[in-house]
Amino acid sequence: MKKIIGLSLFSIFLLSCNGGPERVNSTADSSEGLKAEVGTTIDQWHKAATKADFDAYFSLMTEDAVYIGTDASENWSGKEFKKFAEPHFKSGKAWDFTKLKRHIFFSENNKTAWFDELLKTHMGLCRGSGVLIRENGSWKIKHYVLSMTIPNDQMKKVAHMKRDFDDSYIEKSVLRK
């Protein structure tokens, strides 16, 4: 009888330490809810570009956001990226990125999220990755990197094609800083 009471008390203690089944489930639900929130923010951001909605697009980024594009020179502050993007948005069509697959992760305190995504674009398959932070109750993109994907068996060919540009860029931009 003492063993049954002891096991019962031990079980109750374990459940209280772990928050019980409801807490475990609510954490899982919360995690999925947070992933849905972040995913929706990223989807809205891409959709705003497709619709050429400049204000909506940039409202989903922090003021100090960084955007890194596919060209080696494209490492922009938010202000620089707005200047680059504005003519594209004014033309009525910025760019159209369609998510094919996305992975989302969170910091322990759930105030920072990072992700990677595979995208269908006018450049073919691309990879996007970024960081979002919780700002005034909403998720905002703080850092985004867009990369073209290159099949491994085509890497030598592509590297050869861009070698002259790379060498020149390194000489002009990287080594002179």
Side-chain angles (χ1 to χ4, degrees):
M1 183 67 154
K2 285 183 182 178
K3 284 185 180 180
I4 293 173
I5 292 172
L7 284 173
S8 297
L9 289 173
F10 184 69
S11 297
I12 291 169
F13 171 75
L14 285 177
L15 286 172
S16 68
C17 287
N18 291 325
E22 292 77 25
R23 184 166 178 198
V24 171
N25 289 339
S26 88
T27 301
D29 293 345
S30 170
S31 175
E32 289 308 309
L34 287 172
K35 282 185 179 182
E37 286 178 21
V38 168
T40 297
T41 298
I42 301 164
D43 290 342
Q44 289 173 341
W45 188 59
H46 289 317
K47 188 175 184 178
T50 301
K51 291 181 166 185
D53 188 338
F54 185 87
D55 293 334
Y57 186 83
F58 285 99
S59 74
L60 294 167
M61 299 175 76
T62 63
E63 285 297 317
D64 63 345
V66 172
Y67 188 101
I68 299 174
T70 57
D71 189 288
S73 68
E74 296 174 342
N75 188 331
W76 291 307
S77 68
K79 185 178 181 179
E80 293 166 330
F81 185 52
K82 282 181 181 179
K83 185 177 179 181
F84 163 80
E86 190 171 27
H88 296 281
F89 281 81
K90 281 185 176 179
S91 75
K93 183 147 173 43
W95 42 86
D96 188 359
F97 296 169
T98 303
K99 172 196 75 165
L100 300 173
K101 189 173 189 177
R102 182 180 293 144
H103 304 100
I104 301 172
F105 309 91
F106 295 93
S107 62
E108 275 190 44
N109 65 7
N110 291 325
K111 292 182 180 178
T112 304
W114 57 96
F115 68 97
D116 62 84
E117 58 186 1
L118 189 61
L119 302 165
K120 181 180 175 188
T121 78
H122 65 281
M123 299 173 279
L125 286 178
C126 284
R127 171 112 29 224
S129 61
V131 176
L132 291 88
I133 61 168
R134 196 83 140 137
E135 190 176 88
N136 300 321
S138 298
W139 288 102
K140 301 278 185 152
I141 297 166
K142 186 168 185 74
H143 191 100
Y144 190 77
V145 179
L146 180 66
S147 307
M148 292 185 69
T149 61
I150 301 169
N152 288 332
D153 65 350
Q154 297 293 310
M155 193 60 69
K156 283 183 184 178
K157 181 179 175 182
V158 172
H160 178 75
M161 287 172 38
K162 63 189 217 86
R163 183 167 291 125
D164 290 342
F165 173 84
D166 289 354
D167 290 344
S168 176
Y169 186 79
I170 291 167
E171 181 63 33
K172 290 179 190 173
S173 302
V174 177
L175 296 178
R176 299 202 185 226
K177 288 188 177 187

